[in-house]
Amino acid sequence: LSRSVLSTLNPMIAFDTIKRMGLVYWQAMLIYTVLAFGQWVLNFLLSFIPFGGGIAASFVDAYVYLAIGCTMGLAVFKKAPELGWE
């Protein structure tokens, strides 16, 4: 929500953003949790496959990280007026 690295690390700004986003933030966090759990399960199962499992797990990780980023980005986009991003 800012162009400053320091404000990104400021927990007070994060809590304010969570408060202003309301239910949308918690919906995004639920999606994040489901994605992270699925990633954990798939990586566990792929760990039993020698060599190829590690490569496949890297693709799973990349997909999940992109999906989480898109989820959070869409949540911020949805609440843009409340966050002052009109």
Side-chain angles (χ1 to χ4, degrees), residues 1-13:
L1 294 174
S2 74
R3 289 177 172 77
S4 167
V5 174
L6 293 177
S7 66
T8 302
L9 300 174
N10 184 347
M12 295 310 294
I13 293 175

Side-chain angles (χ1 to χ4, degrees), residues 15-76:
F15 291 134
D16 181 56
T17 302
I18 291 169
K19 184 177 77 174
R20 288 192 283 161
M21 288 181 71
L23 184 61
V24 171
Y25 176 82
W26 297 109
Q27 290 169 339
M29 284 306 296
L30 178 65
I31 294 168
Y32 169 89
T33 303
V34 170
L35 288 169
F37 181 74
Q39 176 188 16
W40 180 79
V41 169
L42 284 173
N43 282 344
F44 176 75
L45 295 173
L46 290 171
S47 70
F48 294 108
I49 302 172
F51 186 68
I55 294 171
S58 297
F59 283 103
V60 169
D61 290 346
Y63 175 81
V64 169
Y65 297 146
L66 286 171
I68 289 169
C70 287
T71 300
M72 294 310 232
L74 287 171
V76 169

